[in-house]
Amino acid sequence: MQESRLFKIVYHLLDKGQATAPELAKKFEVSVRTIYRDIDALSAAGIPIYTEAGRNGGVHLMRDFVLDRTLLSKEEKQEILTALQSVNATQNIGRSQTLQKLSAMFHLNWQDWLEVDFSRWGNERFDNEKFESLKSAVIHCRNVKIQYASSYEVISERIVQPCKLAYKAKAWYLKAFCTEKQDWRTFKLNRILDVEVLDECFQRRSFPGSVDVCEGEYRQITLRFPREMAYRVYDEFDKTQVQQQPNGDLIASAKMPEDAWLIGFLLSFGTQVDILSPVYLRETIAKQAKLIYEKNKP
């Protein structure tokens, strides 16, 4: 137990830079006296750890200290390589130099198991350039001017402070602080029509977990599909959201944003979907289908 705590103290200091003995005692649920004994043990083992008195004092590691690679288990080394390969898949330059160096240092072979392409079919250049521009803006805390097509049928220009790129439900999103709304927003990348990274920088802030990727108000939507639509149903819904009926029909139920996207989503199934609830959506879809017919009838 002590050995595990000693390593955790070192990892904590590598991450945070410094900590007070009472902070470490609270974190690892031991006494302050035990922490000082741990510091002595680490120092005796050759770890360059020291304490500093005073208002800004605490427990420190010498600057530029790194853990020896032999302290990592084979599983931990493999996890590092796997994680780096995942990150490497998003890069367009220097594809494998870091992986090759670490693979050689760890004496492990790594497999080229992941490929990521951020573009839609037939639109490779713009989608990839857009992703790279937004990624750079996130990393370097640069303001971005975007042109965005919302699900409320409005195309607007906004200046945002990008926080992170997120992948959810088969789509990429940009989580950012909108300077016009003075609030956090989530933008679907496919709806970002234009991107301009500006010179202005901003102070990085954490994205609140309460802001969801969907723009509309949620409703519990329940739909029935014939068995032959299983390929589409399982494209759109998790199996825990689907119940198969004795006759083979599939009933899917999920909370979804009630906006223009939902109408288009339901229409995409044509005659192969029955709206069970909310019932009022039936009339909305019927009206929209009639308008489509009137517009395209021979």
Side-chain angles (χ1 to χ4, degrees):
M1 179 64 185
Q2 182 194 19
E3 183 178 335
S4 173
R5 188 175 64 250
L6 294 179
F7 280 116
K8 289 178 180 178
I9 290 173
V10 174
Y11 297 148
H12 182 78
L13 293 175
L14 283 170
D15 182 40
K16 302 299 182 182
Q18 70 172 45
T20 66
E23 287 172 351
L24 292 173
K26 182 178 180 180
K27 178 175 179 62
F28 297 110
E29 299 180 343
V30 295
S31 68
V32 172
R33 179 175 296 182
T34 298
I35 291 296
Y36 281 121
R37 283 202 296 265
D38 289 344
I39 292 171
D40 289 340
L42 287 167
S43 182
I47 303 296
I49 189 171
Y50 65 97
T51 60
E52 193 174 56
R55 182 178 178 183
N56 297 317
V59 184
H60 305 257
L61 289 170
M62 287 186 65
R63 184 173 295 180
D64 299 328
F65 167 74
V66 294
L67 286 174
D68 191 280
R69 62 181 172 85
T70 58
L71 293 176
L72 298 172
S73 68
K74 182 178 180 180
E75 290 74 18
E76 288 170 330
K77 293 173 185 177
Q78 193 63 59
E79 286 180 7
I80 290 172
L81 292 178
T82 301
L84 280 176
Q85 174 132 28
S86 302
V87 175
N88 184 64
T90 70
Q91 306 295 321
N92 288 330
I93 58 174
R95 287 186 177 272
S96 60
Q97 293 179 6
T98 303
L99 281 167
Q100 288 174 344
K101 290 177 182 178
L102 283 178
S103 179
M105 187 174 76
F106 290 163
H107 301 295
L108 290 175
N109 293 322
W110 59 276
Q111 302 297 320
D112 189 11
W113 66 276
L114 179 66
E115 179 178 337
V116 178
D117 186 349
F118 301 106
S119 63
R120 289 164 286 189
W121 294 106
N123 196 31
E124 178 178 351
R125 181 178 176 183
F126 176 70
D127 280 347
N128 283 332
E129 287 179 352
K130 176 170 58 177
F131 188 92
E132 288 298 314
S133 295
L134 292 172
K135 182 183 73 174
S136 176
V138 170
I139 293 172
H140 299 292
C141 297
R142 299 274 293 276
N143 286 351
V144 177
K145 182 190 292 184
I146 63 172
Q147 188 180 53
Y148 189 69
S150 75
S151 59
Y152 298 109
E153 305 171 19
V154 175
I155 296 178
S156 61
E157 191 173 87
R158 316 186 190 194
I159 294 178
V160 300
Q161 299 173 349
C163 171
K164 65 174 67 176
L165 290 160
Y167 187 82
K168 183 178 176 68
K170 299 183 294 184
W172 281 97
Y173 296 87
L174 174 68
K175 297 185 174 185
F177 186 83
C178 178
T179 59
E180 177 186 346
K181 303 295 185 181
Q182 284 296 296
D183 200 2
W184 292 97
R185 292 289 187 272
T186 303
F187 304 96
K188 193 171 185 178
L189 254 63
N190 284 348
R191 297 182 193 163
I192 297 179
L193 309 181
D194 195 24
V195 173
E196 180 185 353
V197 180
L198 306 177
D199 293 331
E200 296 88 353
C201 295
F202 61 88
Q203 188 71 33
R204 189 182 301 277
R205 290 176 281 187
S206 297
F207 188 86
S210 60
V211 181
D212 210 290
V213 297
C214 298
E215 300 173 55
E217 183 179 354
Y218 279 108
R219 286 284 188 274
Q220 189 74 29
I221 310 295
T222 303
L223 310 167
R224 182 193 293 269
F225 302 91
R227 71 175 72 189
E228 57 266 27
M229 291 299 291
Y231 75 98
R232 276 288 314 270
V233 172
Y234 290 112
D235 266 351
E236 306 293 348
F237 299 94
D238 183 84
K239 67 177 184 179
T240 61
Q241 299 171 316
V242 180
Q243 291 183 346
Q244 187 168 10
Q245 304 304 297
N247 67 348
D249 285 357
L250 301 170
I251 294 182
S253 184
K255 285 189 174 182
M256 307 176 78
E258 190 174 9
D259 54 17
W261 171 87
L262 178 61
I263 304 305
F265 172 74
L266 294 174
L267 286 169
S268 71
F269 290 97
T271 60
Q272 300 298 305
V273 60
D274 290 326
I275 301 171
L276 302 183
S277 69
V279 177
Y280 62 79
L281 269 181
R282 290 171 173 262
E283 183 179 355
T284 303
I285 295 299
K287 287 181 178 179
Q288 193 65 32
K290 184 177 180 179
L291 289 173
I292 293 173
Y293 170 76
E294 292 295 335
K295 185 174 183 178
N296 294 281
K297 68 181 180 181

